[in-house]
Amino acid sequence: AGNYSVLVTNANNCENTRTVLVSESNIATINNITINDFEYNNAIIVDATGIGNYTYSLNNISFQTSNVFNNVLPGIYTVYIKDINGCGIVEKDINVLGAPKYFTPNGDSFNDFWNIKGVDAKLNAKTIIRIFDRYGKLLSQINPLSQGWNGMFNNQQLPADDYWYTIELNNGRIVKGHFSLIR
């Protein structure tokens, strides 16, 4: 990096000088990606370093100069960090987790099952989800890769009410909350 000059002289001793600035730039290094999930407004904060100017994108759709993404829906994403000088792009797959606030197991094929969102076979597939009634009775344990809970216990439809969950993620993190079963 630095200023460089080139002096050109022709056969008639005419001279011309051209000076250029060479800027150093390289591909980014991802230090950390902070995910604030299971929130009303999920957020992703990307911490990257390197010699360069970077733009950021989720799923390579549109790039922004900010390393913060707000109001992110639960799901699987790929974070892209692009050097604006063309020195490369680095990417990393992440997941933003979320739990629906309600479900309606009425057989209309819309919201008939309750399960968390943002899990796939590579990201948090070994998560354990337990569902309880208001008195703490275990009603179901579900796999995040399954359809989810259908609102039944011992082959009986449970009433419209609030139900509670605990979620044990692969990394040991435990999330607790509640949702409504609406009939």
Side-chain angles (χ1 to χ4, degrees), residues 88-141:
I89 297 176
V90 64
E91 62 186 70
K92 183 172 182 175
D93 292 333
I94 63 163
N95 60 329
V96 177
L97 300 172
K101 297 292 182 193
Y102 67 92
F103 80 121
T104 57
N106 57 9
D108 68 353
S109 300
F110 186 72
N111 288 328
D112 282 338
F113 296 89
W114 186 92
N115 205 344
I116 63 172
K117 302 196 183 319
V119 176
D120 70 5
K122 293 188 300 186
L123 299 170
N124 285 307
K126 295 181 180 177
T127 294
I128 299 169
I129 304 165
R130 293 181 180 91
I131 299 171
F132 304 89
D133 69 8
R134 68 174 57 233
Y135 305 106
K137 180 179 181 179
L138 178 64
L139 301 174
S140 185
Q141 180 172 312

Side-chain angles (χ1 to χ4, degrees), residues 52-73:
N53 292 315
Y54 305 114
T55 56
Y56 305 84
S57 172
L58 293 180
N59 294 341
N60 205 20
I61 294 173
S62 61
F63 283 82
Q64 63 186 37
T65 56
S66 174
N67 64 329
V68 177
F69 298 91
N70 290 305
N71 301 315
V72 180
L73 295 174

Side-chain angles (χ1 to χ4, degrees), residues 3-168:
N3 286 316
Y4 294 90
S5 296
V6 175
L7 172 66
V8 177
T9 306
N10 68 9
N12 297 326
N13 284 329
C14 292
E15 296 180 347
N16 195 359
T17 302
R18 175 106 191 234
T19 303
V20 294
L21 171 65
V22 175
S23 299
E24 191 173 356
S25 192
N26 64 18
I27 195 166
T29 299
I30 298 174
N31 297 322
N32 188 42
I33 298 178
T34 302
I35 302 168
N36 299 321
D37 53 9
F38 287 106
E39 303 286 335
Y40 180 72
N41 291 318
N42 297 321
I44 299 169
I45 304 165
V46 181
D47 176 22
T49 55
I51 300 172
N53 292 315
Y54 305 114
T55 56
Y56 305 84
S57 172
L58 293 180
N59 294 341
N60 205 20
I61 294 173
S62 61
F63 283 82
Q64 63 186 37
T65 56
S66 174
N67 64 329
V68 177
F69 298 91
N70 290 305
N71 301 315
V72 180
L73 295 174
I76 307 295
Y77 296 92
T78 302
V79 172
Y80 290 84
I81 305 170
K82 177 171 64 173
D83 177 66
I84 64 172
N85 294 313
C87 292
I89 297 176
V90 64
E91 62 186 70
K92 183 172 182 175
D93 292 333
I94 63 163
N95 60 329
V96 177
L97 300 172
K101 297 292 182 193
Y102 67 92
F103 80 121
T104 57
N106 57 9
D108 68 353
S109 300
F110 186 72
N111 288 328
D112 282 338
F113 296 89
W114 186 92
N115 205 344
I116 63 172
K117 302 196 183 319
V119 176
D120 70 5
K122 293 188 300 186
L123 299 170
N124 285 307
K126 295 181 180 177
T127 294
I128 299 169
I129 304 165
R130 293 181 180 91
I131 299 171
F132 304 89
D133 69 8
R134 68 174 57 233
Y135 305 106
K137 180 179 181 179
L138 178 64
L139 301 174
S140 185
Q141 180 172 312
I142 60 174
N143 180 316
L145 299 178
S146 72
Q147 275 187 308
W149 185 50
N150 62 2
M152 305 280 281
F153 181 69
N154 287 338
N155 293 322
Q156 298 291 318
Q157 287 185 355
L158 291 174
D161 204 348
D162 280 355
Y163 293 89
W164 281 256
Y165 60 83
T166 61
I167 301 169
E168 295 177 34

